[in-house]
Amino acid sequence: MQGQHQLSEEQRTHIRQTLIDPQGARRVGHVDFDVRVGTQIQRGQIDLIQVPDTLVQIDSEWQGFLYFVYEDEIVVVDPNDMEIVAVLPV
């Protein structure tokens, strides 16, 4: 499922506590592309990390996908075509 996912407050808190606050992905402060579903990014343009189980539980299709943290959003990227498939505000 691509696009917007409605996260509960509990899911957002869990993501913040497990992915963002302790270690998780390094936050990306500035990008040279639109952070929105459908945007294709260049390989090597930013550091991407394998999607953890915490996110796979939200959408099982993200197994094997990559992600990064931009501001207060988790951005999920398809590694096959490097297209953003979800932007999750947390």
Side-chain angles (χ1 to χ4, degrees), residues 31-43:
V31 294
D32 294 330
F33 52 85
D34 289 333
V35 178
R36 63 178 168 78
V37 172
T39 297
Q40 201 165 28
I41 61 178
Q42 291 183 312
R43 290 186 192 280

Side-chain angles (χ1 to χ4, degrees), residues 4-85:
Q4 294 293 341
H5 287 73
Q6 296 299 326
L7 300 180
S8 68
E9 186 59 36
E10 182 179 329
Q11 286 174 311
R12 284 194 297 276
T13 299
H14 182 67
I15 288 170
R16 278 193 304 270
Q17 290 174 344
T18 59
L19 299 182
I20 297 176
D21 293 341
Q23 88 294 334
R26 200 166 36 97
R27 284 182 192 256
V28 176
H30 174 74
V31 294
D32 294 330
F33 52 85
D34 289 333
V35 178
R36 63 178 168 78
V37 172
T39 297
Q40 201 165 28
I41 61 178
Q42 291 183 312
R43 290 186 192 280
Q45 190 170 10
I46 58 170
D47 291 331
L48 299 169
I49 298 171
Q50 189 81 26
V51 166
D53 290 340
T54 301
L55 296 179
V56 173
Q57 290 171 4
I58 294 169
D59 190 330
S60 61
E61 291 182 15
W62 295 342
Q63 183 73 44
F65 279 30
L66 304 169
Y67 82 102
F68 65 96
V69 178
Y70 176 70
E71 295 179 349
D72 289 324
E73 299 174 321
I74 299 285
V75 183
V76 181
V77 178
D78 183 334
N80 297 311
D81 59 10
M82 298 303 288
E83 185 175 304
I84 295 174
V85 297

